[in-house]
């Protein structure tokens, strides 16, 4: 099966139509809803609304990249430019937009996976980036998009030497990131549901109970 991945710099993505951002908001929320519904810890969707898409994901121009794996590239609504054909039958594309971005759309039924990378400097490493908006809607698609985009991301941001994920332990994702993606846990923190703001979460983030967050890392 061909895997088509589109590279979307944030400075480009913010120029897309509100309808396209609505599409992406729905997609990311659907991806995160799997754990929200199954475990009943988190109350709110990952993104509060399409108007807060970029702020809720902490995606800023010229610092972040968003990748989306598409089933059928002819259903994007506009032209693409081939960037690279990599192993495992995967092709990377960029948006080719001589006439602007208004025609591009991301219907849910055409999406296989998403992932984004954003800066996450901390005391131990000022060059660390965080993996976010990581969603999979097809078998093995999450692993495929992650393994297929790391090298491309590194080309854009060569100073990055470490990737970080922060996962809710009770969502049973620690083993997935360790066994399937090669991350190693280095810290675990108990988060109290009545002190979420103090723990650095956004005001819209609510939970039904206390939970643990595992910080995991991978050198690149």
């Amino acid at each position: 099966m061909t895997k088509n991945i589109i590279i979307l710099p944030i400075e480009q993505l913010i120029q897309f139509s509100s309808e396209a951002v609505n599409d992406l908001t729905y997609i990311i929320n659907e991806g995160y809803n799997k754990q929200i519904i199954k475990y009943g810890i988190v109350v709110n969707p990952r993104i509060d609304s399409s108007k807060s898409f970029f702020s809720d994901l902490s995606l800023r121009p010229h610092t972040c990249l968003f990748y989306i794996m598409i089933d059928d590239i002819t259903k994007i609504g506009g032209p693409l430019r081939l960037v690279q054909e990599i192993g495992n039958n995967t092709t990377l594309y960029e948006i080719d937009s001589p006439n602007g971005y208004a025609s591009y759309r991301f219907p849910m039924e055409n999406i296989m996976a998403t992932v984004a990378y954003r800066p996450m400097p901390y005391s131990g490493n000022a060059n660390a980036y965080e993996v976010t908006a990581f969603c999979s809607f097809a078998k093995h698609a999450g692993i495929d998009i992650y393994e297929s985009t790391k090298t491309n991301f590194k080309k854009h941001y060569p100073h990055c030497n470490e990737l970080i994920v922060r996962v809710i332990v009770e969502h049973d994702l620690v083993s997935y990131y360790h066994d399937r993606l090669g991350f190693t846990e280095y810290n675990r923190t108990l988060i109290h549901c009545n002190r979420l703001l103090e723990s650095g979460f956004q005001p819209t983030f609510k939970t039904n109970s206390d939970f643990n967050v595992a910080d995991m890392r991978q050198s690149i």
Side-chain angles (χ1 to χ4, degrees), residues 97-181:
S97 56
N99 299 315
Y101 303 100
S103 63
Y104 293 93
R105 294 293 302 272
F106 304 101
M108 180 75 230
E109 63 272 13
N110 196 30
I111 308 304
M112 299 177 67
T114 65
V115 69
Y117 302 92
R118 67 185 184 194
M120 190 189 169
Y122 62 100
S123 59
N125 187 357
N127 295 315
Y129 275 66
E130 184 178 8
V131 179
T132 190
F134 186 36
C135 303
S136 175
F137 304 100
K139 186 177 181 180
H140 211 272
I143 297 171
D144 286 339
I145 195 171
Y146 178 69
E147 294 297 340
S148 299
T149 58
K150 279 192 301 182
T151 301
N152 180 266
F153 171 75
K154 180 77 171 177
K155 288 180 181 178
H156 285 83
Y157 297 97
H159 62 280
C160 174
N161 57 20
E162 187 174 46
L163 293 176
I164 302 294
V165 293
R166 307 193 73 213
V167 299
I168 294 177
V169 174
E170 289 77 6
H171 282 179
D172 293 332
L173 291 172
V174 172
S175 61
Y176 173 82
Y177 280 98
H178 180 271
D179 299 341
R180 307 298 294 276
L181 298 179

Side-chain angles (χ1 to χ4, degrees), residues 12-216:
Q12 181 184 72
L13 191 53
I14 60 175
Q15 301 180 62
F16 278 62
S17 68
S18 59
E19 290 81 8
V21 177
N22 285 340
D23 292 341
L24 294 176
T25 300
Y26 180 79
I27 289 163
I28 300 303
N29 281 341
E30 281 294 290
Y32 279 77
N33 276 346
K34 297 175 185 177
Q35 278 71 39
I36 291 175
I37 294 171
K38 182 176 180 179
Y39 296 96
I41 298 171
V42 179
V43 174
N44 55 290
R46 177 62 181 86
I47 303 170
D48 186 53
S49 74
S50 59
K51 292 181 179 179
S52 61
F53 176 86
F54 296 100
S55 60
D56 284 355
L57 293 174
S58 298
L59 299 178
R60 293 185 277 281
H62 306 291
T63 63
C64 309
L65 285 177
F66 188 97
Y67 295 86
I68 187 164
M69 183 182 289
I70 302 294
D71 181 28
D72 186 348
I73 61 174
T74 67
K75 295 181 180 180
I76 293 303
L80 298 173
R81 181 190 308 112
L82 191 149
V83 173
Q84 183 183 9
E85 292 182 345
I86 56 181
N88 199 24
N89 205 25
T90 303
T91 306
L92 299 180
Y93 296 91
E94 293 175 343
I95 297 291
D96 188 4
S97 56
N99 299 315
Y101 303 100
S103 63
Y104 293 93
R105 294 293 302 272
F106 304 101
M108 180 75 230
E109 63 272 13
N110 196 30
I111 308 304
M112 299 177 67
T114 65
V115 69
Y117 302 92
R118 67 185 184 194
M120 190 189 169
Y122 62 100
S123 59
N125 187 357
N127 295 315
Y129 275 66
E130 184 178 8
V131 179
T132 190
F134 186 36
C135 303
S136 175
F137 304 100
K139 186 177 181 180
H140 211 272
I143 297 171
D144 286 339
I145 195 171
Y146 178 69
E147 294 297 340
S148 299
T149 58
K150 279 192 301 182
T151 301
N152 180 266
F153 171 75
K154 180 77 171 177
K155 288 180 181 178
H156 285 83
Y157 297 97
H159 62 280
C160 174
N161 57 20
E162 187 174 46
L163 293 176
I164 302 294
V165 293
R166 307 193 73 213
V167 299
I168 294 177
V169 174
E170 289 77 6
H171 282 179
D172 293 332
L173 291 172
V174 172
S175 61
Y176 173 82
Y177 280 98
H178 180 271
D179 299 341
R180 307 298 294 276
L181 298 179
F183 283 83
T184 301
E185 182 177 348
Y186 67 94
N187 186 56
R188 186 172 292 202
T189 306
L190 174 64
I191 307 295
H192 297 279
C193 63
N194 60 347
R195 297 169 59 184
L196 295 173
L197 278 176
E198 295 177 38
S199 300
F201 291 92
Q202 296 170 334
T204 56
F205 184 74
K206 307 294 180 184
T207 67
N208 285 316
S209 62
D210 298 345
F211 60 96
N212 291 276
V213 169
D215 297 306
M216 307 181 72

